[in-house]
Amino acid sequence: MRIWLTLGFATMCVPVQAAMPAAQQNALVKQYCAVCHTDAAMNGGLSLQHYDAAKRDPALAAMILTKLNTGAMGAAGNGVPDKAAQEAWLASTKEQAAGAAEWFVSREDGLVSASIVREVPPRRPDVKESPVYRVKIACNTGSGIGQMQLTWSPQPQTGRTLTAAADGNAPVEYRIEGRESMGNGATVQTGHASVLLSDGGKLGFPNQSLTVRELFDGESVQFPFSALDKKTGTELRRCFR
Ligand code: HEC
């Protein structure tokens, strides 16, 4: 009886695809990604220096997935993992990204954070992957200091003004300018993939929705703040008064 239960449970929980153990994913991220995504360089507004695949973060996994799908594995100039490892890494990241379109809240060491992603239709007919945007809000409940970050992937941007509006109020403008140097010292430069919406303090904390427009031509994306649970909303709001 006991054996049956154990076996049944195991087959239910273990996906058919060979999911990659977290430690192996961490090693790949270290080798192929964290060379640029360091705490110091923060390419794309993102550090993967302390990345741990065992820690649930669907929105981050969704962002990583878009990059794995679009050639970032080779960006470090360290070659790429073998085919089997690439596939297992992709499959595991895809699993971790499940639920990324809903708020994911974490509470750790006095830091409350919530993140969510939204997809938009492909920008070019020959590209099938949908671009994604992520909004991440973090609030240090002790100091009352918070941050609201917007990131996007896989296409960087520069020389552009986007707007963000809370609850249909007057849109606030954010200028995306200049280029990023690669954290690993490579001489290529790119546009940006991140902006701090909390900078300037003009954007209030949305009760209902956050609408971001014109990061790319004619594009708009809406984040459902009304779906954020009440407790988290109250906690985060303290950092944005
Ligand atoms: C050579 C340096 C370099 C390497 C290596 C690199 N990146 Fe990036 N990454 C960047 C830069 C610069 C940006 C911002 C511009 C852009 O999006 O291209 C970025 C942007 C991103 C973004 C979008 C912004 C965000 O915060 O969501 C994600 C996700 C990302 N990278 C993940 C990865 C992953 C995963 C790997 C490894 C497979 C990787 N990167 C390897 C330099 C690098």
Side-chain angles (χ1 to χ4, degrees), residues 15-27:
V16 187
Q17 255 158 338
M20 182 179 266
Q24 208 176 332
Q25 293 178 57
N26 295 348

Side-chain angles (χ1 to χ4, degrees), residues 129-170:
E129 267 102 22
S130 299
V132 286
Y133 289 71
R134 171 172 78 143
V135 72
K136 179 172 181 177
I137 309 134
C139 173
N140 184 317
T141 48
S143 67
I145 295 172
Q147 222 177 44
M148 193 186 301
Q149 185 194 34
L150 179 76
T151 67
W152 54 92
S153 184
Q155 204 182 327
Q157 183 60 292
T158 190
R160 183 98 190 163
T161 302
L162 67 84
T163 66
D167 303 329
N169 294 328

Side-chain angles (χ1 to χ4, degrees), residues 28-37 42-48 59-68 71-78 81 89 93 132-134 149-157 179-186 188-194:
L28 291 173
V29 166
K30 199 169 198 167
Q31 184 178 356
Y32 295 102
C33 316
V35 289
C36 292
H37 294 284
M42 288 290 280
N43 273 150
L46 177 68
S47 173
L48 294 172
L60 175 60
M63 300 307 283
I64 290 176
L65 189 62
T66 65
K67 285 290 185 186
L68 293 185
M73 285 185 198
N78 294 340
W89 191 8
T93 308
V132 286
Y133 289 71
R134 171 172 78 143
Q149 185 194 34
L150 179 76
T151 67
W152 54 92
S153 184
Q155 204 182 327
Q157 183 60 292
R179 299 200 162 261
E180 287 195 21
S181 299
M182 298 297 157
N184 67 343
V188 253
Q189 289 195 320
T190 64
H192 298 286
S194 156

